[in-house]
Amino acid sequence: MASKSFTKTFFSLLLVSSFAIIHMAIAGDPDIISDFIVPANVTAIDANFFTFTGMRTLVSMAEFPALNGQSVSYDVLYFPAGSINPPHTHVRATGLLFLLQGTLQEGLIDTTNKLYTQTLQAGDMFVFPKGLVHYQYNPDAQTPAVAIAAFGSSNLGSVSVPKALFNTDIDDVVLAKSFETDVATIQALKVGLTPKQ
């Protein structure tokens, strides 16, 4: 009798676990039950609702409300010569970067802390899986780089690693112990991240 009870419990847990894993695997922006979502402050819909003009930089749900529920956003990235987009993550979106001009070094860190780097030339693409830390660096001292990034969410949730660590109220002692250094080094890093007046 104990064997049947154990078997039933085991298969019940297996079934529940399987559903949880499947749900996590397909998680993303929730599906909507209408063709599109109309913001509360919009009273009439015409073709202008579906049009965004003047593309210069990030276009997400905040800038283009028609993206709400559509699981997409877009970004035009300009990298001056020698510049960097510091380590960051997108907690709600996978990103796909297409380099239009210049050279760009891409870095991606997986959950085992393995670093993958690739130097892209115009016409190359690089994918950034959702939630993984990554960065971009233009190593060319003379030529800017321009890229387009597409994201699988209308609200990608960007988190800058340096800002999240050093521009918050995390105690300096906690950071020093975490980085196995001293408080003076942490304070110097914080000063380096402070915007110049």
Side-chain angles (χ1 to χ4, degrees):
M1 187 68 163
S3 172
K4 283 186 179 182
S5 176
F6 171 78
T7 302
K8 186 176 180 181
T9 302
F10 174 78
F11 282 112
S12 295
L13 287 172
L14 182 63
L15 183 64
V16 169
S17 299
S18 297
F19 283 129
I21 291 168
I22 290 168
H23 179 72
M24 286 187 293
I26 61 172
D29 286 354
D31 285 336
I32 59 175
I33 56 173
S34 59
D35 292 338
F36 49 88
I37 298 173
V38 180
N41 62 342
V42 174
T43 56
I45 298 294
D46 60 17
N48 289 320
F49 177 74
F50 301 100
T51 306
F52 185 84
T53 59
M55 179 73 174
R56 297 285 180 266
T57 184
L58 178 67
V59 179
S60 67
M61 191 172 57
E63 296 82 20
F64 190 17
L67 294 178
N68 190 5
Q70 302 304 319
S71 300
V72 295
S73 56
Y74 212 56
D75 200 355
V76 175
L77 303 164
Y78 178 77
F79 299 90
S83 67
I84 188 166
N85 186 4
H88 62 284
T89 183
H90 307 292
V91 297
R92 290 184 286 276
T94 293
L96 182 62
L97 184 137
F98 177 71
L99 187 63
L100 294 171
Q101 171 189 319
T103 301
L104 207 54
Q105 183 185 68
E106 303 294 330
L108 170 69
I109 303 165
D110 72 11
T111 58
T112 66
N113 292 324
K114 181 175 180 180
L115 173 64
Y116 299 88
T117 61
Q118 182 70 36
T119 300
L120 303 181
Q121 305 298 323
D124 293 344
M125 294 175 69
F126 198 88
V127 66
F128 301 99
K130 177 171 55 175
L132 294 185
V133 174
H134 58 279
Y135 65 88
Q136 292 88 30
Y137 169 58
N138 179 358
D140 192 311
Q142 305 296 319
T143 308
V146 179
I148 296 174
F151 301 97
S153 174
S154 58
N155 183 4
L156 48 141
S158 293
V159 177
S160 167
V161 174
K163 288 180 181 177
L165 292 173
F166 300 109
N167 279 0
T168 60
D169 292 329
I170 298 174
D171 189 270
D172 291 349
V173 172
V174 171
L175 290 172
K177 287 181 181 287
S178 298
F179 287 99
E180 298 178 2
T181 189
D182 54 63
V183 170
T185 301
I186 297 300
Q187 290 171 341
L189 287 168
K190 285 184 172 183
V191 168
L193 287 175
T194 304
K196 308 290 187 266
Q197 298 293 340

